Amino acid sequence: NETVCVEVEEIEKINILNASLKAMRLACCKVIEQIQDKELIVLVDGNKLIKNFSYPQKYVVKGDSTSAAIAAASILAKVSRDRYMEKLDKICPQYGWCRNAGYLTKEHLAAIDKYGLSEFHRPSFLKKHFEKCLQLSLF
């Protein structure tokens, strides 16, 4: 019952898609180790396969709406993310993590503008916001 997480610094280095695929690989390897089933196939939600992964796999576009296994995994991932956001909210309550789950709501962007970025924010994800702010300040 262990959560797999790729940290902000690594996401910034390898990008969000590669970080997601890496997290999937790590999580799948842990599960496969525990179940020790050699006759399995890993279903990957999306249109990419997991890199550097030796087990049979198949990608499923819009998998959460066509596969019960992928839908269940999506629910577990959301619950884990919500719990993580609750922890971040205790560390940095000024960003309202528990109310916005890290999505760029107006409230969250206003907090970023007021307090700056925390160690948990991904600067590359906020690049467009900062470019917009820069353009507005030039006029």
Side-chain angles (χ1 to χ4, degrees), residues 118-136:
S118 73
E119 64 186 282
F120 306 106
H121 285 100
R122 289 188 290 125
S124 63
F125 185 67
L126 294 159
K127 185 178 175 185
K128 286 183 182 179
H129 173 68
F130 289 125
E131 286 172 356
K132 184 179 174 183
C133 290
L134 197 62
Q135 289 172 351
L136 291 173

Side-chain angles (χ1 to χ4, degrees), residues 27-79:
C28 286
C29 287
K30 284 184 178 195
V31 170
I32 291 167
E33 255 178 44
Q34 291 176 3
I35 63 172
Q36 298 179 354
D37 183 354
K38 302 302 175 201
E39 308 246 346
L40 58 79
I41 184 163
V42 173
L43 301 177
V44 181
D45 188 17
N47 64 356
K48 304 275 187 238
L49 295 176
I50 301 171
K51 297 175 182 180
N52 305 317
F53 189 67
S54 59
Y55 293 93
Q57 58 183 312
K58 174 184 174 186
Y59 67 78
V60 182
V61 176
K62 297 188 180 189
D64 54 348
S65 63
T66 60
S67 164
I70 292 175
S74 293
I75 292 167
L76 292 173
K78 179 161 181 1
V79 169

